[in-house]
Amino acid sequence: MFHWLEKNPFFFAVGVFLVIAFAGIISILPDFAKSSQPLVGTKPYTVLELTGRHVYIKDSCNACHSQLIRPFKNETDRYGKYSLSGEYAYDRPFLWGSKRTGPDLMRIGNYRTTDWHANHMWEPTAIVPGSIMPRYRHHFTNIANFETAYAEAVTVKKVFNVPYDKPNMPKLGTFEEAQKEALIEAKKIAAAMKKDTDNNDIKTALDNGQIPEIVALIAYLNSLK
Amino acid sequence: MNWFSDNVNQIALLGAAVIILATVFVVGKYIKQMKTDRSTGVLADDTWDGIGEYKNPLPMGWAITFLLTMIWAMWYLTLGYPVNSYSQIGEWNEEVQAYNKAFEEKHKNIKGEELTNMGEGVFLVQCAPCHGIDAEGINGKAQGFVDQRMTKEQVLDVINRGSAALGDNPAGNLGYPMMVMPPMMATGADAEAIAEYVSKGMKGDAPVSFAACSSCHGVDGKGLGGQSPNIAEFDEILIMKTLEHGKVGSIGDMPKFNDGRLSDIQKRAVSTYILSLSK
């Protein structure tokens, strides 16, 4: 058998690859599977937060912001505790990012508030003089795509067994239930957005059962802890 | 020839020349050896695909190195790796511990201007995004620290709603020993008068109705030495409590800073800085 392999360098190379790949798989995968389990206390996103996550992805916030705090003192001083892989268990896809034009946002929910985000997204330079972050005023008028987020939540629940509707976990329910729940949350956020921004449009939209992008985005940012 | 006067370039050129010379010398030696050397010795009986092998004894140096490598491998497999294995988190822990120790050592007796300067640094990074780099509160979006302890609206809101105007913890929000502030201790014109008086910094004669407040906040409004918040001026206790517990007031949300991001010295520094602003 080995004679045959020695005379066929191509298949010999394939054999070498298989042996090394097998060794790699049995030494990497078990550890990987273990560390990608959700940490105790990590919860899947509510549908409103997921809606905001779609806004975040759509407007490429991850092009300028990372969500990965490395275990270096200078980072943990500014952003809080270093990230652990289990914290990303419900991120599909994760938004680590690869460039920090702006600060890391992994735990932004711990040290910024709804009102702050509203003012900052409306006019970053009014809050942080000299900021080069673009304004996102269209978030205040665009209506977020709640349906897609609900569909995603249902899909990951069915396909990956994400623990929606389990005790102490976010509720999903039927589309109408989810929408009602999200509107209640969204109205709380809208009430906490106070200054400088034009809130009337947002309140009217919410009263009509629509969720403006800014509200969903803030719900998402507040959930990053 | 400007580039040649740069001594890094000169060293690089010299290095390149040495490498080329050494290569020519070594390669030449081996080529000569291949041409002239004749190997001698006793051939082993077996051949492998027609290639024979001499029965040479192991070179001593090689054998010793091989043995040492085996011993090292045993040690590494059983002790070296499992006991001393590298961990990034471990390195972080060590780094932080060493840093904090050095920091505490260095700033043990920090005071005066040095402390205020450190506080300004902390403030600009952690607090200025909300309180503004001038600490005036960015047009009423957060507490201002320069002119006024609280506005009339803020005081009125606390009088009307009590502790509920400071957060949603029914057992008190700022964590003072007196815990909660009851709502409606004063109403109507009395409340207006008190709020006016407090917001002006409690100067001059107190309105008679302030008696409703002085039992807890003291006649001077300074909180009876930390029993309840100082409503006359900012003080270190108030700032520490706010950092520890956060606050949800009539202006907005003040997040907690209780996750170890600020060390005790830094907290003292930032509060010294804030207090220096209203002086």
Side-chain angles (χ1 to χ4, degrees):
Chain A
M1 177 194 170
F2 295 116
H3 269 127
W4 182 83
L5 278 182
E6 276 180 25
K7 286 177 201 149
N8 291 278
F10 174 74
F11 289 102
F12 194 89
V14 171
V16 168
F17 173 77
L18 286 182
V19 169
I20 294 178
F22 179 71
I25 284 172
I26 61 165
S27 57
I28 295 169
L29 276 192
D31 241 12
F32 184 75
K34 203 172 126 205
S35 61
S36 59
Q37 292 297 313
L39 291 190
V40 176
T42 305
K43 290 183 178 179
Y45 295 104
T46 66
V47 188
L48 183 63
E49 289 158 11
L50 212 52
T51 314
R53 197 167 187 275
H54 287 176
V55 177
Y56 186 97
I57 295 171
K58 186 179 71 160
D59 274 326
S60 291
C61 309
N62 54 319
C64 288
H65 291 285
S66 61
Q67 286 189 21
L68 178 91
I69 304 167
R70 296 171 292 178
F72 302 135
K73 182 164 192 315
N74 53 349
E75 297 208 358
T76 51
D77 274 359
R78 169 66 170 84
Y79 303 126
K81 191 156 176 59
Y82 47 76
S83 314
L84 296 168
S85 40
E87 295 181 88
Y88 301 98
Y90 302 120
D91 278 15
R92 291 191 167 81
F94 62 77
L95 297 170
W96 292 346
S98 56
K99 187 169 185 303
R100 282 186 186 155
T101 305
D104 189 277
L105 300 181
M106 174 88 192
R107 307 200 193 282
I108 189 75
N110 284 338
Y111 50 88
R112 295 288 180 268
T113 54
T114 300
D115 194 31
W116 191 91
H117 287 306
N119 291 321
H120 182 252
M121 299 306 277
W122 181 259
E123 181 58 75
T125 50
I127 308 297
V128 182
S131 172
I132 54 163
M133 170 154 153
R135 303 164 170 164
Y136 284 91
R137 294 203 174 163
H138 57 277
H139 287 168
F140 290 75
T141 43
N142 281 6
I143 299 304
N145 190 336
F146 185 79
E147 290 81 355
T148 306
Y150 179 78
E152 180 184 324
V154 172
T155 311
V156 294
K157 182 186 171 193
K158 292 218 169 110
V159 178
F160 299 113
N161 263 330
V162 171
Y164 284 111
D165 294 323
K166 299 264 162 64
N168 289 327
M169 290 290 173
K171 273 215 278 300
L172 206 53
T174 65
F175 181 73
E176 283 71 27
E177 283 167 356
Q179 200 175 28
K180 226 173 91 193
E181 188 112 335
L183 275 171
I184 295 173
E185 279 308 303
K187 281 181 181 157
K188 279 191 208 149
I189 291 173
M193 293 166 46
K194 292 188 195 164
K195 301 278 174 339
D196 286 10
T197 48
D198 187 5
N199 281 355
N200 286 335
D201 286 356
I202 290 174
K203 299 216 165 102
T204 323
L206 285 173
D207 286 338
N208 294 335
Q210 296 174 312
I211 298 174
E213 286 185 337
I214 186 71
V215 178
L217 181 68
I218 291 178
Y220 171 61
L221 293 174
N222 286 344
S223 79
L224 298 175
K225 288 195 166 162
Chain B
M1 291 297 271
N2 209 1
W3 60 271
F4 192 68
S5 58
D6 184 275
N7 53 5
V8 172
N9 287 349
Q10 286 169 0
I11 293 173
L13 279 181
L14 191 69
V18 169
I19 291 175
I20 290 173
L21 282 180
T23 313
V24 169
F25 177 75
V26 171
V27 170
K29 175 172 179 276
Y30 277 113
I31 289 180
K32 198 164 151 227
Q33 205 173 344
M34 274 151 59
K35 277 185 186 154
T36 56
D37 255 19
R38 289 280 164 273
S39 37
T40 49
V42 187
L43 270 177
D45 295 338
D46 293 317
T47 64
W48 286 268
D49 292 345
I51 300 172
E53 188 189 36
Y54 289 116
K55 281 189 185 167
N56 285 336
L58 272 183
M60 191 46 97
W62 193 93
I64 292 175
T65 315
F66 184 60
L67 260 177
L68 288 181
T69 313
M70 287 197 345
I71 294 171
W72 179 85
M74 301 272 198
W75 169 82
Y76 187 72
L77 210 66
T78 53
L79 289 174
Y81 181 73
V83 178
N84 299 322
S85 67
Y86 172 77
S87 137
Q88 218 176 9
I89 305 294
E91 184 174 325
W92 180 82
N93 282 330
E94 280 169 15
E95 182 190 352
V96 169
Q97 256 170 28
Y99 181 89
N100 288 349
K101 214 171 134 215
F103 185 86
E104 241 153 70
E105 200 66 22
K106 182 166 171 212
H107 298 296
K108 209 164 41 190
N109 299 316
I110 184 172
K111 54 180 178 296
E113 199 179 338
E114 238 186 308
L115 189 63
T116 317
N117 286 344
M118 181 198 280
E120 179 171 13
V122 174
F123 186 87
L124 288 176
V125 174
Q126 302 285 7
C127 320
C130 295
H131 290 282
I133 37 183
D134 53 6
E136 305 241 30
I138 317 188
N139 304 326
K141 293 187 188 70
Q143 184 73 50
F145 296 122
V146 183
D147 307 323
Q148 206 176 14
R149 166 69 178 92
M150 294 179 112
T151 62
K152 193 173 162 189
E153 292 74 42
Q154 277 178 286
V155 183
L156 263 181
D157 188 48
V158 181
I159 296 179
N160 288 334
R161 297 198 288 144
S163 268
L166 304 170
D168 52 12
N169 188 345
N173 299 291
L174 299 173
Y176 279 93
M178 277 193 190
M179 296 184 16
V180 290
M181 153 114 185
M184 303 303 258
M185 298 294 294
T187 49
D190 283 349
E192 287 275 336
I194 295 173
E196 180 81 22
Y197 172 67
V198 173
S199 66
K200 292 262 161 66
M202 304 192 48
K203 305 232 164 63
D205 289 335
V208 186
S209 47
F210 189 73
C213 320
S214 50
S215 56
C216 292
H217 290 284
V219 184
D220 56 1
K222 291 193 177 161
L224 300 175
Q227 293 299 306
S228 70
N230 185 338
I231 55 174
E233 59 194 22
F234 290 106
D235 66 7
E236 184 166 322
I237 304 177
L238 177 84
I239 296 171
M240 294 297 177
K241 299 261 188 214
T242 313
L243 290 177
E244 178 68 26
H245 299 280
K247 181 184 179 189
V248 183
S250 53
I251 304 181
D253 293 5
M254 159 79 203
K256 300 183 181 75
F257 280 81
N258 64 349
D259 60 355
R261 233 177 317 149
L262 295 181
S263 70
D264 289 344
I265 294 177
Q266 284 175 317
K267 285 184 185 167
R268 222 177 69 216
V270 79
S271 86
T272 310
Y273 173 70
I274 290 177
L275 298 181
S276 77
L277 296 170
S278 51
K279 292 255 157 68

